[in-house]
Amino acid sequence: MAARRSRRRIRARTAAWLEHHGRAVLGALGRLRMQWLAALMTAGVIGIALALPALFVVFMDNTQNVVGDWDGRPRVSVFLEQDTLMDRARETAQRLRERDDVRAVEVLTPEAALAEFRAHTRMDRALSLLESNPLPGVLLVEPPPGLSTARIDALTRTLEGLDIAAEVRLDREWVRRLHAILTLFARLGWLIAGLLALAVPLVVGNTIRLEIENRREEIVITKLLGATDAFVRRPFLYTGLWHGLFGGAIAAVLVETAYLLLAGPANTIARSYASGFRLQGLDPAAAATLLACGVLLGLLGAWIAVGRHLSTIEPR
């Protein structure tokens, strides 16, 4: 009998606790609706602060998708001696294709190299003044995916030893530089994201501080009636939660709007280069993460503000 009464008390307390929190959540939302313009401005500031790092993350993800296919698949360009016959170059290319550290070899004739140079420049007049083609033939050697750096270096040394090779260039160096630049931008982006993330609790905290001051008399009366600090604190915490949630939603809308504006031109450029790249926006998991970050930062700002200013309000 006593155990049954104890369970009833626990269920009653749990129901009362849930009911109070539900009222606090809906009450905070109702107050924001009554002050919708101020709430919208606060949420807008939070949304912009969250959207900027989110846009940067989306940009870095798309950039990694563009350069990801190049990583591990460098090409070695073998520039041939000027007087090399193309039949000999093709024979050399065929022998190279038989190696297990070579995936493919493309023979680029001097005429093809000149045509490609013309296609990518506007120097037709200057080229027409030349008596002969100054460009050499080229062997474009592609190692297989996943080939180790040591074996790529060994292949490069072998290609340098060819008697028809005038110069050998490994295209991996610019990829390394590109990835180093991307790493630098990624760290810079996370630094900016951290600074903007600090701005969200400050914005929410200042908003909660003003609301505490506006409701000072109500808080004093509530405490005179015996309300605990936790009871008084809850509505303000849920106000910060709503601010963060609305700010996260605005950030997701801003990021998706930017994606819709940029997707068409970006995909057009990709098609012009015969690339299968497609600009990617926020997926559902990323959008949910953005909302969660907004909620957590909103709660953090509200908690700091309530803990700092609510303790100074006591009945006299």
Side-chain angles (χ1 to χ4, degrees):
M1 192 70 177
R4 185 177 301 176
R5 291 178 180 176
S6 177
R7 287 195 296 269
R8 288 178 181 176
R9 292 194 193 99
I10 293 174
R11 285 198 294 267
R13 291 176 182 175
T14 302
W17 184 84
L18 291 175
E19 181 182 1
H20 175 68
H21 277 270
R23 289 180 178 178
V25 170
L26 296 178
L29 182 60
R31 282 188 292 272
L32 291 180
R33 187 181 63 178
M34 294 175 60
Q35 303 173 353
W36 64 271
L37 183 58
L40 181 61
M41 293 178 64
T42 301
V45 173
I46 296 172
I48 294 174
L50 292 175
L52 291 176
L55 282 171
F56 189 86
V57 171
V58 171
F59 168 76
M60 292 301 299
D61 288 342
N62 281 277
T63 305
Q64 291 291 346
N65 289 336
V66 173
V67 302
D69 292 338
W70 298 334
D71 191 16
R73 292 194 300 172
R75 288 197 310 178
V76 183
S77 300
V78 182
F79 296 91
L80 306 180
E81 295 286 353
Q82 195 69 36
D83 57 350
T84 301
L85 298 177
M86 295 315 300
D87 289 340
R88 188 179 179 188
R90 294 186 181 93
E91 292 175 359
T92 303
Q94 185 59 39
R95 290 198 304 270
L96 291 174
R97 293 188 186 101
E98 297 173 357
R99 296 173 58 97
D100 60 353
D101 56 355
V102 174
R103 179 185 183 185
V105 181
E106 180 183 355
V107 180
L108 192 64
T109 64
E111 292 75 17
L114 183 61
E116 184 176 344
F117 185 75
R118 288 179 183 274
H120 289 85
T121 62
R122 298 182 178 179
M123 301 179 62
D124 290 344
R125 291 186 179 180
L127 293 174
S128 63
L129 298 176
L130 300 176
E131 296 180 356
S132 60
N133 185 357
L135 299 180
V138 183
L139 298 181
L140 301 177
V141 182
E142 181 181 344
L147 193 66
S148 66
T149 302
R151 295 196 64 187
I152 292 176
D153 292 338
L155 175 61
T156 303
R157 290 192 296 270
T158 299
L159 296 175
E160 289 173 346
L162 295 176
D163 54 359
I164 61 174
E167 184 178 357
V168 176
R169 290 185 182 178
L170 180 58
D171 297 343
R172 185 179 56 193
E173 295 302 322
W174 73 271
V175 177
R176 286 179 176 175
R177 296 189 186 100
L178 177 61
H179 279 281
I181 293 173
L182 291 178
T183 301
L184 174 63
F185 276 109
R187 293 186 180 181
L188 179 62
W190 285 115
L191 177 61
I192 295 174
L195 294 176
L196 290 174
L198 289 176
V200 174
L202 293 177
V203 172
V204 175
N206 186 64
T207 302
I208 298 300
R209 179 186 65 82
L210 293 176
E211 186 171 354
I212 291 174
E213 292 298 326
N214 292 334
R215 298 174 61 185
R216 174 181 286 270
E217 294 182 0
E218 177 186 344
I219 294 172
V220 170
I221 294 174
T222 304
K223 286 190 173 184
L224 284 173
L225 294 176
T228 63
D229 288 341
F231 182 91
V232 178
R233 185 187 302 119
R234 285 173 194 149
F236 298 105
L237 294 180
Y238 284 122
T239 299
L241 181 148
W242 285 117
H243 279 307
L245 180 63
F246 292 148
I250 291 175
V253 170
L254 291 176
V255 174
E256 191 65 18
T257 301
Y259 162 73
L260 294 176
L261 292 174
L262 298 176
N267 294 337
T268 300
I269 294 174
R271 285 194 299 270
S272 68
Y273 284 93
S275 172
F277 168 76
R278 291 294 180 269
L279 190 68
Q280 302 295 324
L282 282 178
D283 55 28
T289 301
L290 193 57
L291 292 176
C293 289
V295 169
L296 291 176
L297 292 173
L299 282 173
L300 176 62
W303 184 274
I304 294 174
V306 170
R308 180 177 180 181
H309 299 285
L310 196 61
S311 61
T312 62
I313 302 177
E314 293 292 340
R316 296 181 181 177

